[in-house]
Each structure stands twice: as C-alpha cells, then as structure tokens.
Amino acid sequence: AQSVTQPDIHITVSEGASLELRCNYSYGATPYLFWYVQSPGQGLQLLLKYFSGDTLVQGIKGFEAEFKRSQSSFNLRKPSVHWSDAAEYFCAVGARSGGYNKLIFGAGTRLAVHP
Amino acid sequence: SAVISQKPSRDICQRGTSLTIQCQVDSQVTMMFWYRQQPGQSLTLIATANQGSEATYESGFVIDKFPISRPNLTFSTLTVSNMSPEDSSIYLCSVLSGTEAFFGQGTRLTVV
C-alpha cells in the first residue's frame, strides 16, 4: 500500500537559514510526488511536483525538491527561509496508472521561523 | 487550473444533526475528492466522486455516514450525518485538473 512518512512533526529555523523537510514514500512503482503548503486559515497550495525527468524540481516561492529513488525520498529544500514561510507542509504521493486517482498525504511538518 | 468554492466556510452544529457541504468548480472535471482534516492532523481521503456513478469510499468511511452527490461535472455535495463531536474537522473538496490537484478553502465544522 502507498504511504508517506514525514519524520519531522515540527521544525524551527531562524529567518535566513536554510531548510530541508524530509519526506519518504512507499510505492511499488515510480510515483507522482507533491509538496503542498497550508498557511493558517488557508487552503492547500501546490509548491512543486515530480512526475518524471530531472530529479531536481523547482517550485514556487524559492522551494526545490529532489527525488531520490534509491532512498524513496522527496525532500523539500529552501536556501534561505523567510518569516512568511511559517506554515504546515505536506508531502503527498499519487498512485500512478496513466495518471493518478488519489493523493496520499503525509502527516505534515509544521515550520516555525524565528526572526 | 481550477477554482473551487466551498460552502459553508464554517459551521457549528448540534450533535445528532446533519450538515451538507457544497463544492462548486469553475470548470468541468471528471474526478472530485472529499478529504477530512482532523485538528492538528493530515488530510485523509473520505471518498472519490465521479459523475454518474456511486462514490468510492476509503476504508473507515461509509455511505450512510458520509453520503455524497455528484449531479454534474462541476458540483458535488458531502453530507456529514448524525454528527458527533468526533466529526469536528475541516472538510475539503478537491479536483484533478490535468495532473494537478486543486483544493477548496475547506469547511471548518464544530460539533457541540
């Protein structure tokens, strides 16, 4: 069965510091992979996605993620965090069969940013 | 892209009553999804609704508790029936457009 693990429930970084949020997935084939951000009181916004091709994916707001098949990982990174990045981040996997028919979400990582 | 409108945005309901949540999309989509996000938790898929067929429910969710309608390609409703405080959650509607999933703002439900 597909599953997504985000090992870090809560992370605190200083503004300007680099960030890496971890995501590991379990899926038999090459999955669709996503990172979403949910700000307080807001809906989910897609940061980036991986389907195939270049394993380093660029997203919005300066985020990037790297797909590593050997490690079943899709970690999210940002070189310099801004205070406005404080939010909940969700990694998700889509079952792949000519498309995907549902998303499985990880538990989420709550990011706090110190000034 | 797809723009999703959900109504109501929030509600406080008495236990034992039912609430119907509406989801309107600005374009025709084949698949619509309903998720639940319990306080401090991640999103859990309740069911997938395709137009013209019965909704497909995930393990742990049943039609009697969460009946879903999908009358056309732009609209769906989710009803939370016979509510208890454990049903207090955010309920989100989602659609697939191309290869991207879009989400509504959610309905924050509190059952008292």
Coordinates of all heavy atoms in Angstrom, one line a residue, chain A residues 23 46 49 51 70 74:
Chain A
C23 N 10.8 13.8 3.5 CA 9.6 13.0 3.0 C 10.1 11.7 2.5 O 11.0 11.6 1.6 CB 8.9 13.8 2.0 SG 7.5 12.8 1.2
L46 N -0.1 24.2 -4.0 CA 0.9 23.3 -4.5 C 2.2 24.1 -4.6 O 2.3 25.2 -5.2 CB 0.5 22.8 -5.9 CG 1.5 21.9 -6.6 CD1 1.6 20.6 -5.8 CD2 1.1 21.6 -8.0
K49 N 5.9 19.6 -7.9 CA 5.5 18.3 -8.2 C 6.6 17.6 -9.0 O 7.3 18.2 -9.8 CB 4.2 18.2 -8.9 CG 4.2 19.0 -10.3 CD 2.8 19.0 -10.8 CE 2.8 19.9 -12.1 NZ 1.4 20.1 -12.6
F51 N 7.0 14.2 -11.7 CA 6.3 13.1 -12.4 C 7.4 12.2 -13.0 O 7.3 11.0 -13.0 CB 5.4 13.6 -13.5 CG 4.2 14.3 -12.9 CD1 3.4 15.2 -13.7 CD2 3.7 14.1 -11.6 CE1 2.3 15.8 -13.2 CE2 2.6 14.7 -11.1 CZ 1.9 15.6 -11.9
S70 N 16.6 5.7 -4.9 CA 17.3 4.7 -4.1 C 16.9 4.9 -2.6 O 17.0 3.9 -1.8 CB 18.8 4.9 -4.3 OG 19.3 6.2 -3.9
F74 N 11.8 12.4 -1.2 CA 11.5 13.6 -1.9 C 11.5 14.7 -1.0 O 10.5 15.3 -0.6 CB 10.1 13.4 -2.6 CG 9.7 14.5 -3.6 CD1 10.5 14.7 -4.7 CD2 8.6 15.2 -3.4 CE1 10.2 15.7 -5.6 CE2 8.2 16.2 -4.4 CZ 9.0 16.4 -5.5

